[in-house]
């Protein structure tokens, strides 16, 4: 029975590979029906893992209509690019409007959109492809461009971080129940804020799934602020004028709510967020 199972798996995978190469339209029909099942094999069939990986298709920032394989993604990578970038989410609409993508769009880096539930398993099981590491742009830090550009961006962020250290500490204390760290970001260009995880943290989607299945503590994440955004700069001005200004706390909560909504996550206190929005609107009308 074991030998029959192995032979059948090999035959099916070889047939799918041949179809993918010679009859793409037919393969896409198969993928539409059974793509999620094929993806599950990455984490469960180690003997055929490489063959299964070559069959995988994902949505991508490169083409709104056409799916892409990892091989095709690698062929389009920039000369200085060492990682395969991806972002998980509930849908393409949520992911492609994520603040996390801003620097990648600006610099022309392609990002895979992992929007199937099973994609979380793929990301956890597939750490590299053709020597290129898979990197979630929703975790850790972002380094784009040449070594010189990376070093320059790092120095700029570190300098601004020192200048704003007291304000960042204030926001950290205010949001301590929900946030484990507040820092400045180089992945944002137009949005004021986003939330990221540490390299070993669960994605927001996977965390929600795990919390539904078992009782586990809420995961605290890292708040990244855009140092070039007017909101941050005006908060800095307010803080320097009056460290006890109550509006600083309100704006900190609003930024957290904005970041959660931008990624499709739930607000910890929707009522409080609504009150703050109404108060802000009233003061500015």
């Amino acid at each position: 029975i074991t030998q029959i199972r192995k032979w059948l798996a090999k035959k099916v995978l070889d047939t799918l590979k041949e179809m993918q190469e010679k009859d793409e339209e037919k393969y896409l029909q198969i993928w539409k029906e059974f793509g999620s099942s094929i993806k599950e094999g990455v984490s469960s069939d180690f003997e055929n893992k490489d063959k299964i990986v070559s069959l995988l298709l994902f949505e991508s920032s490169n083409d709104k209509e056409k799916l892409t394989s990892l091989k095709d993604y690698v062929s389009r990578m920039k000369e200085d690019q060492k990682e395969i970038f991806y972002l998980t989410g509930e849908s393409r609409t949520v992911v492609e409007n994520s603040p996390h993508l801003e620097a990648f769009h600006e610099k022309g880096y392609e990002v895979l959109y992992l929007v199937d539930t099973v994609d979380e398993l793929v990301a956890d099981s597939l750490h590299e492809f053709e020597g290129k590491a898979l990197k979630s742009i929703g975790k850790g830090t972002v380094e784009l461009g040449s070594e010189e550009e990376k070093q320059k961006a790092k120095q700029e962020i570190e300098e601004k971080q020192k200048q704003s250290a007291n304000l960042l500490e204030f926001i950290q204390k205010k949001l301590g129940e929900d946030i484990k760290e507040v820092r400045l970001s180089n992945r944002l260009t137009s949005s004021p804020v986003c939330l990221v995880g540490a390299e070993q943290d669960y994605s927001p989607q996977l965390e929600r799934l795990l919390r539904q299945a078992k009782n586990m503590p809420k995961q605290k994440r890292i708040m990244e602020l855009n140092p070039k955004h007017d909101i941050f700069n005006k908060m800095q001005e307010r803080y320097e004028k009056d460290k006890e200004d109550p509006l600083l706390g309100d704006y900190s909560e609003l930024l957290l709510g904005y970041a959660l909504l931008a990624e499709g996550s739930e607000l910890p206190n929707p009522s409080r967020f609504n009150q703050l929005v109404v108060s802000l609107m009233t003061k500015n009308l």
Side-chain angles (χ1 to χ4, degrees), residues 23-151:
D23 192 344
E24 184 180 8
E25 186 176 342
K26 189 173 182 180
Y27 181 72
L28 289 174
Q29 292 175 351
I30 294 292
W31 181 262
K32 184 177 180 180
E33 297 296 330
F34 301 103
S36 294
S37 298
I38 295 173
K39 286 178 179 178
E40 289 179 5
V42 175
S43 60
S44 61
D45 188 349
F46 299 106
E47 186 175 344
N48 294 301
K49 184 175 180 179
D50 290 342
K51 288 184 177 181
I52 295 170
V53 169
S54 70
L55 296 171
L56 301 181
L57 296 177
F58 301 98
E59 294 198 47
S60 162
S61 61
N62 180 65
D63 193 316
K64 208 164 190 176
E65 304 297 329
K66 189 176 181 180
L67 300 176
T68 185
S69 66
L70 291 172
K71 184 177 181 179
D72 288 339
Y73 177 100
V74 170
S75 72
R76 295 189 294 267
M77 287 175 63
K78 287 180 172 290
E79 188 175 342
D80 58 14
Q81 186 177 344
K82 298 178 181 179
E83 298 168 310
I84 297 172
F85 299 118
Y86 72 88
L87 184 62
T88 59
E90 293 183 353
S91 68
R92 182 183 180 98
T93 300
V94 171
V95 171
E96 68 183 356
N97 288 297
S98 169
H100 297 86
L101 290 166
E102 291 175 358
F104 293 84
H105 284 330
E106 183 180 60
K107 294 183 178 292
Y109 286 88
E110 181 178 354
V111 179
L112 297 177
Y113 298 160
L114 275 57
V115 294
D116 290 341
T117 302
V118 72
D119 283 342
E120 296 283 356
L121 294 174
V122 176
D124 284 343
S125 304
L126 184 61
H127 303 295
E128 63 90 24
F129 177 78
E130 293 188 355
K132 307 291 185 180
L134 269 72
K135 163 71 175 175
S136 170
I137 67 171
K139 297 181 182 180
T141 56
V142 167
E143 295 183 340
L144 300 176
S146 65
E147 289 302 320
E148 183 179 348
E149 290 172 327
K150 291 177 184 177
Q151 191 61 31

Side-chain angles (χ1 to χ4, degrees), residues 231-267:
I231 291 178
F232 178 78
N233 292 325
K234 288 180 179 179
M235 286 184 70
Q236 182 69 51
E237 291 174 7
R238 275 185 173 272
Y239 183 81
E240 290 172 357
K241 289 179 181 178
D242 181 6
K243 295 178 176 60
E244 304 299 324
D245 189 336
L247 278 179
L248 290 168
D250 291 348
Y251 280 121
S252 299
E253 291 184 64
L254 283 168
L255 284 171
L256 174 59
Y258 176 100
L260 288 167
L261 291 175
E263 69 178 20
S265 295
E266 295 180 359
L267 296 171

